Each structure stands twice: as C-alpha cells, then as structure tokens.
Amino acid sequence: EFDFKQPARSGEDVAKLVWGVNPYFVSGPLQLFGNFKLGPMRVSGYDMVLVVLAVVCGVATWWALNRTVMGKVVLAVIHNPEMSASMGVNVQRVYTGAFTVGVFLAALGGAFTPPLISVQPGLSVSVIVISFAVVIIGGLGSIPGAALGAAVVGLARAASVHLWPEVELFSVYLV
C-alpha cells in the first residue's frame, strides 16, 4: 500500500538506503598500474589507461556512426525519425539500440571512476553538470566537438584549481 502523505523516494534515496551515505574510495587499480615519469612530471599509469580507453571509445563510436550502415541508420533516425520510419526503419528498435549503447558507455565510465574520486550519494549532480557543459561547448551531436569540449573543460578546471581554487566549479560555467 502506498502512503500518499509520504514523499516518493528518488533513486538517490534508494541508493542511500541500500549502500549507506559513506563515501567509497577504490585504490586498488591506482596501485596496480603504478606511476611513471613523463618528462619532469610523475604520471599515474591508471590515468594513462583512462586516456587510452577514452580515445578507443571515442574513435569506435565515431567509426560506428560514420562508417557502418547501422550508424548511418542511427544518424538518419536522429535527424528525421518520421522520414526514416516511412523508409521502413524500425525507429523504436534504433532508439532502443542507441539507448543500450549509451547505457553501456555510461556504465563503463562509472566503472572506471571510483579510483579517481570517492563515490558517494550526490555525485551524479556534479557529473551531469560537467557533462552538460562539455556537450554544449562541443556542440550537440558532434563527437569531435565533445572531445574538444571535454579538453577545454578539463583544462579550465585544472587551471582554476591551481590558480584560484575557490572558483573551480564556476570555471566550467565561465567557459
């Protein structure tokens, strides 16, 4: 029985009930890949693995959308679903497939995030804000633009952390 006097629980509230409110930090992968010297800097091997993973995922997504028949169908459905449906494309199946690939990429990103930052309830809000900024800067629907937007946002945040830490989150909006 549902009590209408009680507010409905959000997904984040359910996560708090299941896993608690304490942050989790996973340090195993950071130690597994170690550190190495790159010029005058010491760089985490895990960070380099993430860079390679991001490039592979970005190139694979671009290739799949621009060089395969199914990718062309997805782009056609994105730009004009009515015309695609009139040409015999099962638009709902394309939406489902695109959503599935998006969920897989989001899960992949979520799986590789915990060694970098502590995972805790409320983390999703900051990730969504930064992701939104990257998409807006790079242009909606542009994979090379998203890569450029991510680089710009990342460099702006890193520079603000070192130059003026108090405005680090504002730097994303400024860009």
Side-chain angles (χ1 to χ4, degrees):
E1 182 177 321
F2 186 77
D3 184 8
F4 289 100
K5 295 177 184 170
Q6 294 291 326
R9 295 205 180 270
S10 69
E12 200 166 286
D13 289 338
V14 172
K16 288 178 186 176
L17 287 172
V18 173
W19 290 288
V21 296
N22 295 329
Y24 290 98
F25 186 75
V26 181
S27 61
L30 284 174
Q31 297 165 355
L32 179 68
F33 290 101
N35 295 324
F36 63 93
K37 250 178 117 67
L38 184 65
M41 300 182 303
R42 295 202 57 76
V43 180
S44 167
Y46 188 77
D47 289 346
M48 291 296 103
V49 168
L50 290 183
V51 168
V52 170
L53 179 68
V55 169
V56 167
C57 286
V59 169
T61 303
W62 176 87
W63 182 83
L65 284 174
N66 294 299
R67 300 287 188 236
T68 65
V69 173
M70 194 62 211
K72 296 290 186 181
V73 170
V74 169
L75 291 175
V77 169
I78 288 170
H79 292 297
N80 197 335
E82 293 85 14
M83 182 63 75
S84 300
S86 70
M87 299 297 285
V89 174
N90 186 342
V91 173
Q92 289 303 319
R93 181 175 284 173
V94 172
Y95 283 155
T96 302
F99 180 78
T100 302
V101 171
V103 167
F104 171 75
L105 291 172
L108 191 65
F112 282 93
T113 298
L116 300 176
I117 58 176
S118 63
V119 179
Q120 58 195 5
L123 173 67
S124 60
V125 174
S126 63
V127 171
I128 289 171
V129 167
I130 293 170
S131 300
F132 181 72
V134 165
V135 169
I136 295 302
I137 291 168
L140 198 59
S142 170
I143 293 174
L148 180 64
V152 168
V153 167
L155 290 172
R157 288 187 69 195
S160 67
V161 163
H162 290 289
L163 300 174
W164 198 6
E166 294 83 13
V167 297
E168 184 256 333
L169 286 177
F170 178 71
S171 66
V172 174
Y173 299 110
L174 184 63
V175 170

